[in-house]
Amino acid sequence: MITAIKKQNILHNPKEKADWFGMFDGYDSCSEDTSSSSSSEESEEEVAPLPSNLPIIKNNGQVYTYPDGKSGMATCEMCGMVGVRDAFYSKTKRFCSVSCSRSYSSNSKKASILARLQGKPPTKKAKVLQKQPLVAKLAAYAQYQATLQNQAKTKAGNSAISVEGFSWGNYINSNSFIAAPVACFKHAPMGTCWGDISENVRIEVPNTDCSLPTKVFWIAGIIKLAGYNALLRYEGFENDSSLDFWCNICGSDIHPVGWCAASGKPLVPPRTVQHKYTNWKAFLVKRLTGAKTLPPDFSQKVSESMQYPFKPCMRVEVVDKRHLCRTRVAVVESVIGGRLRLVYEESEDRTDDFWCHMHSPLIHHIGWSRSIGHRFKRSDITKKQDGHFDTPPHLFAKVKEVDQSGEWFKEGMKLEAIDPLNLSTICVATIRKVLADGFLMIGIDGSEAADGSDWFCYHATSPSIFPVGFCEINMIELTPPRGYTKLPFKWFDYLRETGSIAAPVKLFNKDVPNHGFRVGMKLEAVDLMEPRLICVATVTRIIHRLLRIHFDGWEEEYDQWVDCESPDLYPVGWCQLTGYQLQPPASQSSRESQSASSKQKKKAKSQQYKGHKKSTEEMTES
């Protein structure tokens, strides 16, 4: 056993800097983990009544209106609800709501959100279809809410169950993937002070190739970086990769070279190579002279970067996931890695929740809605509950100040916008209301409710709205208004037909930061259709500051357009670092599940069945 090498044995180039560490947008959609709530809740600005000329259908004592009395009828295969066929979901119009579609999938052993939270390997992701007009959804709303109420209790009890079997290291190695650097994520821990941690940096780590009863350490070099994770090789192995291993650089057992000397910890060479050198101290001095290591305060910086100002019991205003046009009061229930679980204040059983990052554009200080003229749902709770307090306004993400006195956005102007209810699409949209401080209420053409209850709020500088022609210039498929028949869609013709004008190009955000993302990079991304979930994902396209995020193992229809600075994107290893649950790639989970099942069958039978193997699609339909 040799003594720890003193820190002064590491000789750095005096010309190098002493400090090596010189160094949001996107709408969350409606989460399904909610308690039952009426669609006629009171708000400061009452929802306008539905047009009286719409046909009506009575079902189980409820009266539903439809936008088109000529449409054919359909029966939901899950709940038996009868309604207008065009209002139903799925290409075959088999279900009255997304909830029924997902419930049906779960019952037939498909992958539902609940199954993923329970750690069951999914084989097919729940459909996120093109948004229908809100009035067309009313027929399914009662059943939808009943299903959500039943699911809420189950999800609450299983939300902490982890998904086993996925390893970022194996996934990266076996496919030669490249992960997005930590410096791409300014909102993530160490995102602004990652510095020049790179290959060949040396660190002190526990020696697992040792038979001693106590924990000992050895020096390893970084072979490859993948977000927070690093592929390490112990000193002395040279070109031998047999004992290479992955670890999270921000973990508590990772230290700069010299830490053992300062802490009185022993450095012990791995047993496999112990015989290679008689003088290990001389070997290390030679290997480490001029090499880089972590800054001495690295662990302190990690700890500081994981301190979050938001605390449980803080009150905020957040978008109402049932009515995007308004906000509601919610209370911070928990904080994980800067992500907030918010519970709407009126939720008695605390299951009506909403997940978002503390820097999300969807949350605001108490009083924000009234100050800019945004719709707000008045709470039935007349006074704060004990221990609850308003979040200080300075903790929220700041938006860029704009001058609305000159040429500015006006109601009726046309533009292109990411649909917050279908984030894989950029749609033809209209400014419906101009609020204070640069905020705009926007509706998707052809899919709007008559009362404006599905309008959504974007700031004028939001990277999720674009001038007319943006998609055509950048070769992105623009989603035309629902029901528009003059295809291919031409903006010039549409503006003339609707008697409208395009919003001036100069009013849109043109800033493109040097974000560092590249096509093919891996990361961890929030599934904004179910924002409590964070999944293995890939950057598949980059348009200026706009990223196309693909969830590994799922079809492209579930992709999301996300801003490069969105707080819903994280480096590889973020979930491990913060203790959050990571959802693995669907295809990989399916393969592992099938492989495990096959092994069980081999033990039970002397001969393996060689017959027809079911494809994933066939398995999900059985």
Side-chain angles (χ1 to χ4, degrees):
M1 184 181 298
I2 63 173
T3 57
I5 294 185
K6 295 183 178 179
K7 193 172 183 180
Q8 51 263 40
N9 285 335
I10 310 300
L11 304 178
H12 299 282
N13 188 335
K15 293 182 180 180
E16 293 181 356
K17 294 181 180 179
D19 181 10
W20 300 305
F21 278 73
M23 168 86 216
F24 5 61
D25 207 301
Y27 266 80
D28 292 347
S29 84
C30 305
S31 167
E32 282 200 312
D33 184 10
T34 62
S35 61
S36 178
S37 176
S38 170
S39 61
S40 61
E41 295 164 316
E42 292 183 356
S43 64
E44 289 185 359
E45 183 178 340
E46 296 297 331
V47 176
L50 293 168
S52 58
N53 61 340
L54 294 179
I56 63 172
I57 291 179
K58 292 185 178 181
N59 191 343
N60 297 329
Q62 298 293 326
V63 177
Y64 303 107
T65 60
Y66 299 99
D68 180 8
K70 300 177 182 179
S71 299
M73 304 303 291
T75 301
C76 179
E77 293 185 16
M78 180 65 193
C79 68
M81 171 83 65
V82 177
V84 172
R85 183 178 182 82
D86 284 349
F88 274 45
Y89 289 80
S90 84
K91 294 179 181 178
T92 55
K93 305 299 182 184
R94 298 167 60 194
F95 307 104
C96 67
S97 66
V98 173
S99 177
C100 278
S101 176
R102 292 183 178 179
S103 296
Y104 182 89
S105 298
S106 177
N107 290 345
S108 58
K109 297 183 179 179
K110 294 180 182 178
S112 66
I113 298 301
L114 176 60
R116 287 201 278 171
L117 287 174
Q118 291 173 328
K120 299 176 183 177
T123 55
K124 189 174 183 181
K125 196 173 184 180
K127 289 284 184 182
V128 181
L129 301 173
Q130 184 172 359
K131 180 164 64 72
Q132 305 288 341
L134 189 62
V135 290
K137 295 180 181 178
L138 292 178
Y141 193 75
Q143 177 63 32
Y144 173 75
Q145 289 299 317
T147 304
L148 295 185
Q149 189 174 25
N150 292 334
Q151 290 178 348
K153 295 180 181 179
T154 308
K155 284 188 177 182
N158 292 297
S159 60
I161 299 176
S162 63
V163 178
E164 302 294 341
F166 176 75
S167 165
W168 260 121
N170 293 338
Y171 192 56
I172 294 285
N173 269 358
S174 60
N175 298 280
S176 300
F177 291 140
I178 298 175
V182 172
C184 291
F185 308 87
K186 304 304 182 187
H187 59 280
M190 302 299 292
T192 57
C193 54
W194 190 246
D196 55 0
I197 295 180
S198 60
E199 295 178 6
N200 298 319
V201 166
R202 307 303 207 284
I203 54 180
E204 293 181 354
V205 297
N207 178 6
T208 58
D209 184 25
C210 180
S211 57
L212 296 175
T214 58
K215 179 187 288 188
V216 294
F217 292 80
W218 190 241
I219 295 171
I222 297 177
I223 303 299
K224 185 176 182 178
L225 271 177
Y228 294 115
N229 295 345
L231 180 63
L232 301 178
R233 182 174 300 170
Y234 289 122
E235 286 294 341
F237 277 78
E238 299 174 348
N239 295 324
D240 181 1
S241 62
S242 61
L243 285 187
D244 288 0
F245 61 99
W246 286 88
C247 76
N248 196 303
I249 290 293
C250 296
S252 58
D253 272 338
I254 307 302
H255 307 283
V257 173
W259 177 84
C260 283
S263 306
K265 303 291 184 181
L267 281 172
V268 180
R271 181 173 50 183
T272 303
V273 295
Q274 198 167 22
H275 64 281
K276 290 183 64 175
Y277 301 97
T278 56
N279 190 340
W280 280 96
K281 181 175 181 179
F283 167 79
L284 289 181
V285 169
K286 181 179 179 180
R287 289 282 296 170
L288 299 178
T289 297
K292 288 184 178 180
T293 187
L294 302 177
D297 61 347
F298 181 76
S299 61
Q300 180 182 346
K301 286 187 175 181
V302 171
S303 178
E304 291 174 353
S305 68
M306 295 182 68
Q307 301 299 314
Y308 308 105
F310 281 79
K311 307 297 179 185
C313 297
M314 284 184 172
R315 299 170 77 241
V316 301
E317 288 185 10
V318 64
V319 65
D320 185 340
K321 61 188 179 184
R322 296 192 189 88
H323 301 274
L324 297 184
C325 67
R326 70 185 185 188
T327 57
R328 296 175 62 183
V329 174
V331 179
V332 177
E333 177 75 12
S334 59
V335 183
I336 304 177
R339 301 202 78 224
L340 312 177
R341 179 180 182 257
L342 301 172
V343 176
Y344 289 114
E345 194 171 47
E346 294 170 295
S347 175
E348 295 182 0
D349 58 1
R350 309 195 69 76
T351 59
D352 191 4
D353 65 355
F354 184 82
W355 283 86
C356 66
H357 192 271
M358 63 184 185
H359 293 156
S360 169
L362 303 179
I363 59 172
H364 309 277
H365 62 85
I366 299 296
W368 173 84
S369 297
R370 187 183 297 275
S371 69
I372 71 161
H374 193 284
R375 293 176 68 175
F376 176 76
K377 181 190 177 299
R378 207 165 42 234
S379 175
D380 292 337
I381 298 177
T382 55
K383 76 175 192 176
K384 300 176 192 174
Q385 297 183 24
D386 292 341
H388 292 179
F389 57 101
D390 295 351
T391 306
H394 72 271
L395 296 186
F396 296 88
K398 300 294 188 297
V399 294
K400 184 178 180 180
E401 292 186 5
V402 294
D403 181 9
Q404 298 182 223
S405 60
E407 186 177 12
W408 192 242
F409 293 100
K410 293 182 175 60
E411 291 182 19
M413 284 183 172
K414 300 292 183 181
L415 69 163
E416 299 175 4
I418 296 175
D419 184 350
L421 294 182
N422 189 356
L423 293 160
S424 67
T425 63
I426 299 178
C427 305
V428 174
T430 303
I431 297 173
R432 294 303 182 189
K433 191 174 182 181
V434 179
L435 308 178
D437 296 342
F439 288 95
L440 309 169
M441 297 303 296
I442 295 174
I444 300 297
D445 284 22
S447 299
E448 296 178 70
D451 58 4
S453 56
D454 58 353
W455 296 349
F456 50 94
C457 185
Y458 277 148
H459 192 264
T461 60
S462 169
S464 296
I465 59 175
F466 317 96
V468 163
F470 173 84
C471 285
E472 182 179 1
I473 292 172
N474 293 287
M475 292 180 289
I476 300 173
E477 182 180 357
L478 175 67
T479 301
R482 185 171 180 268
Y484 189 76
T485 57
K486 295 183 180 181
L487 303 177
F489 179 84
K490 298 293 183 184
W491 263 115
F492 179 80
D493 294 338
Y494 186 68
L495 291 174
R496 187 188 64 228
E497 292 167 5
T498 57
S500 52
I501 62 173
V505 175
K506 65 180 181 180
L507 298 181
F508 292 85
N509 183 3
K510 304 179 189 66
D511 295 336
V512 181
N514 184 19
H515 48 69
F517 286 103
R518 300 291 180 267
V519 171
M521 284 182 170
K522 297 292 179 182
L523 69 163
E524 298 176 2
V526 175
D527 179 355
L528 294 171
M529 294 294 100
E530 180 57 48
R532 84 179 63 222
L533 302 181
I534 296 181
C535 310
V536 172
T538 307
V539 178
T540 57
R541 195 172 178 195
I542 301 174
I543 305 296
H544 306 305
R545 62 182 299 147
L546 197 62
L547 309 180
R548 180 83 172 181
I549 301 299
H550 173 74
F551 296 107
D552 290 17
W554 305 121
E555 295 88 346
E556 291 183 1
E557 62 184 296
Y558 309 120
D559 290 0
Q560 296 176 170
W561 286 110
V562 181
D563 182 57
C564 64
E565 294 183 340
S566 168
D568 295 309
L569 304 178
Y570 304 98
V572 165
W574 181 88
C575 282
Q576 179 188 8
L577 176 63
T578 61
Y580 207 95
Q581 177 182 317
L582 176 68
Q583 304 298 315
S587 56
Q588 170 135 342
S589 298
S590 300
R591 287 196 299 270
E592 290 176 354
S593 176
Q594 293 171 29
S595 175
S597 176
S598 176
K599 289 179 181 179
Q600 292 296 327
K601 290 179 180 179
K602 285 182 180 180
K603 291 180 181 180
K605 297 183 179 181
S606 58
Q607 292 183 345
Q608 183 179 3
Y609 174 62
K610 300 292 184 180
H612 171 69
K613 293 184 178 179
K614 282 188 175 182
S615 67
T616 301
E617 182 176 356
E618 289 172 323
M619 292 182 70
T620 58
E621 292 297 330
S622 62

